[in-house]
């Protein structure tokens, strides 16, 4: 059987009930093993806290002797918000019921609780919370590139710390197995890195193609501007030629007028002579 101790979590944070979800994520599988999406410890809104912010609480049974490192995380449709201003919160191996209180991104404290430990349960593998958690908002599983560098470093550091603890506890055989697991994890990390590099190469190729297209468009625009200038010059030459032709036509008309006037004068003089 497994003896459970009641643990009460309480925090104050800026989160909207019905839209955001506040969870405890940490080193224990019950806390999602640092994956907030898999955490079984889900906090519910519970009025206003002493600091004036919205209070979130959860009560759950955790096996006696469990040591927990954890943080509060706010899940929303746009992603996850971690506590990044403080180190990991720590809870010593449980010997009795306790209550953990701490504002979001501020150091908290652990106090003994008046609750009694639960009786042992038979054949229990994964412990469920005492109260059913609220339905989580539909969130896509976080991808590595969406976690951000700070969250990735945090998760990697937690993995390395857990591996070291496993090696010390299990001895040589456990260390060998942990090394194999670490090698497998390193292979997965390497494959992820290679996929990221390939994706980056594709993005760079697309960027180069877009730059080439932009340069080609600029060249075509320059050619069109040059053709427009040539056309304007040709139109100007045609306009000047038309103006010169018009001037010559006017000169011819004036000359014809003078010739006609001279003819009339000669005709008049001939008539007078007769």
């Amino acid at each position: 059987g497994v003896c459970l101790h009641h643990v009460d979590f309480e925090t104050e944070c800026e989160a909207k009930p019905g839209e955001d979800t506040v969870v405890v994520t940490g080193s224990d599988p019950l806390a999602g093993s640092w994956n907030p999406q898999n955490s079984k410890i889900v906090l519910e809104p519970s009025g206003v806290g002493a600091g004036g912010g919205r209070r979130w609480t959860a009560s759950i049974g955790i096996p006696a002797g469990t040591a927990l490192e954890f943080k509060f995380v706010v899940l929303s449709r746009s992603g996850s918000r971690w506590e990044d201003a403080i180190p990991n919160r720590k809870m010593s191996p449980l010997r009795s019921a306790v209550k953990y209180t701490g504002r979001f991104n501020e150091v908290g404290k652990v106090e003994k609780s008046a609750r009694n430990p639960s009786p042992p349960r038979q054949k229990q593998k994964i412990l469920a919370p005492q109260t059913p958690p609220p339905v989580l908002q539909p969130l896509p599983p976080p991808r590595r590139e969406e976690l951000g560098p700070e969250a990735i470093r945090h998760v990697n550091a937690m993995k390395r710390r857990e591996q070291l603890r496993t090696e010390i506890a299990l001895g040589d055989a456990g260390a060998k197995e942990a090394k194999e697991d670490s090698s497998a994890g390193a292979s997965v990390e390497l494959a992820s890195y290679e996929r990221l590099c390939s994706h980056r190469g594709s993005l760079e190729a697309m960027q180069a193609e877009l730059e080439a297209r932009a340069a080609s468009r600029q060249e075509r625009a320059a050619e069109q501007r040059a053709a427009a200038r040539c056309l304007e010059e040709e139109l100007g030459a045609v306009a000047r030629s038309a103006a010169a032709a018009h001037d010559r036509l006017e000169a011819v008309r004036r000359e014809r007028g003078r010739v006609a006037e001279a003819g009339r004068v000669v005709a008049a003089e001939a008539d007078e002579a007769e």
Side-chain angles (χ1 to χ4, degrees), residues 226-242:
R229 286 194 296 270
C230 292
L231 182 59
E232 289 177 356
E233 293 175 357
E234 291 177 359
L235 290 175
V238 170
R240 289 191 294 272
S241 298

Side-chain angles (χ1 to χ4, degrees), residues 11-266:
T11 186
E12 291 184 32
C13 65
E14 297 298 330
K16 298 180 180 179
E19 297 182 10
D20 301 331
T21 303
V22 182
V23 301
V24 172
T25 186
S27 57
D28 192 81
L30 194 62
S33 299
W34 294 110
N35 186 346
Q37 300 289 341
N38 297 334
S39 176
K40 304 295 190 301
I41 309 176
V42 181
L43 285 73
E44 297 181 353
S46 179
V48 179
R54 184 170 297 279
R55 180 173 58 191
W56 297 76
T57 60
S59 179
I60 194 170
I62 298 180
T66 300
L68 181 64
E69 289 191 22
F70 66 96
K71 283 190 174 184
F72 294 111
V73 178
V74 179
L75 303 177
S76 63
R77 293 181 181 274
S78 59
S80 57
R81 176 157 53 93
W82 291 64
E83 295 182 299
D84 54 4
I86 59 173
N88 293 340
R89 302 180 186 271
K90 296 183 180 181
M91 189 178 296
S92 303
L94 295 176
R95 298 290 182 267
S96 63
V98 296
K99 178 180 181 180
Y100 189 95
T101 306
R103 290 175 57 85
F104 195 83
N105 256 338
E106 295 182 11
V107 178
K109 61 181 179 179
V110 180
E111 299 175 336
K112 288 187 176 180
S113 176
R115 294 176 180 267
N116 295 322
S118 301
R121 297 182 180 181
Q122 300 294 330
K123 297 182 180 180
Q124 181 170 358
K125 294 183 180 180
I126 300 177
L127 300 175
Q130 286 184 330
T131 57
V135 179
L136 294 176
Q137 298 293 336
L139 296 173
R143 295 180 298 179
R144 186 179 182 85
E145 58 269 23
E146 294 178 345
L147 291 177
E150 187 64 27
I152 293 175
R153 287 194 296 270
H154 182 77
V155 173
N156 291 338
M158 292 303 100
K159 288 182 179 179
R160 289 194 293 271
R161 185 177 299 177
E162 290 299 320
Q163 290 173 359
L164 290 175
R165 289 179 177 176
T166 302
E167 290 177 359
I168 294 173
L170 298 179
D172 294 339
K176 182 178 179 181
E177 183 178 356
K179 288 179 180 178
E180 293 176 353
D181 293 340
S182 177
S183 298
S187 299
V188 174
E189 295 280 345
L190 180 59
S192 300
Y193 177 75
E194 290 176 351
R195 286 195 298 270
L196 289 175
C197 290
S198 176
H199 184 59
R200 179 181 178 181
S202 299
L203 291 177
E204 290 176 350
M206 291 175 62
Q207 181 179 2
E209 183 179 357
L210 291 176
E211 290 176 353
R213 290 181 180 178
S216 178
R217 285 195 296 268
Q218 291 177 356
E219 291 177 357
R220 289 197 298 270
E223 292 175 356
Q224 290 175 355
R225 287 194 295 269
R229 286 194 296 270
C230 292
L231 182 59
E232 289 177 356
E233 293 175 357
E234 291 177 359
L235 290 175
V238 170
R240 289 191 294 272
S241 298
H246 181 269
D247 293 339
R248 288 194 298 273
L249 180 60
E250 289 296 325
V252 170
R253 287 177 178 174
R254 287 194 296 271
E255 184 64 25
R256 287 181 178 177
R258 286 195 296 271
V259 170
E261 183 64 26
R264 285 193 297 272
V265 171
V266 171

